[in-house]
Amino acid sequence: MMLRSEEAPAGLLLAAGEGRRLGRPKATLELDGERLVDRGVRTLRDGGCSPVLVVAGAAQIEVIGAVVVPNPDWRDGMGSSLRAGLAALPPGCPAVVVALVDQPLVTPAAVRRLVAAFEEGAGIAVATYGGAPRNPVLLAAGHLDGVAEAAVGDQGARGYLRAHPELVTPVPCDDVAAPDDIDTPEDLSALSRPREGRSRPAPRSRPHGAAGR
């Protein structure tokens, strides 16, 4: 399928992991009756990203409204998925917003803030919570080769971002999103409770994801 770049940044959802502690791939889990992969795609699209790509690996998935990019090397870690996704972006893509399938409380509003920062001149924009960099992350086209080169093992863009802190624009998203991730059945259960009775865990202090893992 030929991808065509528009002026909008692309969206890239990393969804290749097997979910070892969950017992099934995270992409296929459901929250509020919606698969996490569909939720992530919707978040990126509603946040202003086009096209949206999904990197798949442990599970063969079909996703409406997105292009699925298979990553046969998904067992090598997140870095391989990030590289596969970046390599599949359409020519002329101005930027990409990278998100993780296991962070379902990221919202379109958070994505829109990153896009707005890019439109105002940011080359790299990172969502922060409590001042800590997490996800999603926006990368302008000029940084993609460097990010791909630094993405090794289970490390996403962290190495590149840490090597170039002067290029990073932090974008506070505490009031519109949360970085809670689903790693265990208990995590999924906590996020599946009715919202009025749901107690949100504090964001983990350890680095995580495309920005931090």
Side-chain angles (χ1 to χ4, degrees):
M1 177 178 179
M2 177 70 71
L3 298 181
R4 304 179 66 180
S5 175
E6 305 294 342
E7 289 300 317
L12 178 59
L13 185 68
L14 304 185
E18 64 180 331
R20 179 174 50 85
R21 285 187 284 169
L22 282 159
R24 59 184 290 193
K26 295 179 180 181
T28 65
L29 295 176
E30 290 191 4
L31 181 65
D32 298 333
E34 183 179 31
R35 292 188 307 172
L36 293 190
V37 66
D38 297 317
R39 189 184 187 101
V41 167
R42 176 171 55 82
T43 295
L44 289 168
R45 290 181 64 87
D46 290 353
C49 297
S50 179
V52 174
L53 287 69
V54 175
V55 180
Q60 294 185 354
I61 53 177
E62 294 184 3
V63 188
I64 296 175
V67 175
V68 176
V69 179
N71 175 22
D73 300 320
W74 62 269
R75 291 181 180 84
D76 293 342
M78 183 189 297
S80 68
S81 290
L82 182 56
R83 293 195 306 272
L86 295 180
L89 292 173
C93 179
V96 60
V97 177
V98 183
L100 305 183
V101 75
D102 67 350
Q103 294 187 331
L105 300 187
V106 168
T107 63
V111 176
R112 285 194 290 269
R113 287 187 182 181
L114 298 184
V115 174
F118 169 67
E119 292 173 345
E120 293 170 3
I124 300 175
V126 178
T128 65
Y129 306 88
R134 294 291 295 274
N135 294 286
V137 177
L138 181 142
L139 305 166
H143 299 288
L144 301 186
D145 287 345
V147 169
E149 183 177 354
V152 295
D154 204 32
Q155 177 173 281
R158 179 182 65 182
Y160 187 83
L161 270 57
R162 287 187 173 180
H164 304 281
E166 74 282 0
L167 301 177
V168 177
T169 298
V171 180
C173 292
D174 309 71
D175 59 325
V176 296
D180 308 56
D181 47 70
I182 297 176
D183 287 329
T184 67
E186 291 74 23
D187 294 337
L188 179 61
S189 177
L191 292 182
S192 298
R193 298 188 190 112
R195 283 181 173 80
E196 59 272 14
R198 181 184 297 168
S199 59
R200 177 178 297 169
R204 304 177 188 181
S205 58
R206 67 176 175 83
H208 179 85
R213 181 181 285 165

